[in-house]
Amino acid sequence: MRKLTEKQGSILLKIARAAIGKKLGEALSPPQENDPVLDEAGGTFVTLKIDNRLRGCIGNIEPVRSLRDGVRDNALNAAFEDYRFSPLSRKEFDEVEISLSVLTPASRLSYTDSKDLLKKLRPGVDGVILRHGVRSATFLPQVWEQLPETEQFLAHLCQKAGLSKECWKGGEVEVYIYQVQSFTENE
């Protein structure tokens, strides 16, 4: 995935806001920019916050849709389908701040043991996918802001996957890393 320009990020943010607004009955039209880069496939996450508190976050790691379609679909899902929250209300729409992350392809991280894993992860840089059998979970690199200690970060990621918080120490988990390019409204 190539690096996006600020203008392309701004267009994607407007697409996200227009999709949510339309569902809430707002007369917002998505930008009609004809930028072929936005039609390339890519993994995306859309995060919604109100007063700097999470209000929804949904995405796809794999590049299954175009950036344009992925951002639109993930914005709608973050606003109305995130099981942790009730659907976004019209009142909240005016208060919500939209951020999006465009992901690089994930690559498997090889490590010898838990100490080696701790050394290889780059806090604030790497998004992490943890897999064990059929269970998996991911944290975007931005989650390091709330969980800056690597052991704590991995423990919470294990719990998010429905595993014991110590699962990362056993060496039976697969770990993949990726990076993101982030865009936030009003930045």
Side-chain angles (χ1 to χ4, degrees):
M1 172 59 49
R2 72 178 84 189
K3 189 170 171 91
L4 299 180
T5 65
E6 289 299 318
K7 180 180 180 187
Q8 290 163 331
S10 177
I11 292 167
L12 290 172
L13 286 166
K14 288 174 183 169
I15 289 169
R17 182 157 291 275
I20 296 168
K22 183 177 178 184
K23 175 108 176 174
L24 291 169
E26 289 284 314
L28 296 174
S29 298
Q32 298 302 316
E33 304 272 342
N34 187 17
D35 186 334
V37 171
L38 303 182
D39 294 323
E40 293 178 8
T44 62
F45 272 76
V46 175
T47 303
L48 307 179
K49 289 186 176 181
I50 295 177
D51 294 328
N52 211 29
R53 293 178 54 206
L54 185 64
R55 182 57 182 84
C57 182
I58 299 284
N60 57 290
I61 296 167
E62 299 297 324
V64 294
R65 297 182 288 273
S66 70
L67 294 173
R68 186 186 311 271
D69 292 344
V71 164
R72 181 197 63 231
D73 295 348
N74 290 331
L76 289 169
N77 288 330
F80 304 109
E81 303 296 332
D82 189 330
Y83 69 91
R84 299 169 293 181
F85 303 97
S86 60
L88 192 75
S89 71
R90 174 66 195 88
K91 180 180 181 288
E92 290 175 309
F93 180 64
D94 293 333
E95 301 168 19
V96 77
E97 178 185 71
I98 301 172
S99 298
L100 63 94
S101 298
V102 179
L103 284 62
T104 64
S107 60
R108 188 166 180 177
L109 184 66
S110 61
Y111 62 97
T112 56
D113 58 23
S114 59
K115 287 181 182 178
D116 190 37
L117 175 60
L118 292 174
K119 284 193 284 189
K120 288 185 174 179
L121 290 177
R122 300 173 299 168
V125 175
D126 293 326
V128 179
I129 304 164
L130 184 137
R131 290 191 179 137
H132 185 273
V134 297
R135 297 185 181 271
S136 69
T138 189
F139 278 153
L140 295 169
Q142 296 91 314
V143 175
W144 290 102
E145 294 169 17
Q146 286 83 44
L147 301 168
E149 300 298 322
T150 308
E151 291 186 24
Q152 182 187 31
F153 182 94
L154 290 169
H156 280 268
L157 188 56
C158 288
Q159 288 180 307
K160 183 179 179 186
L163 301 164
S164 87
K165 63 183 181 180
E166 304 284 318
C167 77
W168 65 272
K169 293 181 179 180
E172 296 136 13
V173 297
E174 295 177 14
V175 176
Y176 297 80
I177 59 169
Y178 58 90
Q179 291 75 48
V180 301
Q181 188 177 2
S182 298
F183 299 95
T184 301
E185 289 180 321
N186 306 317
E187 273 194 358

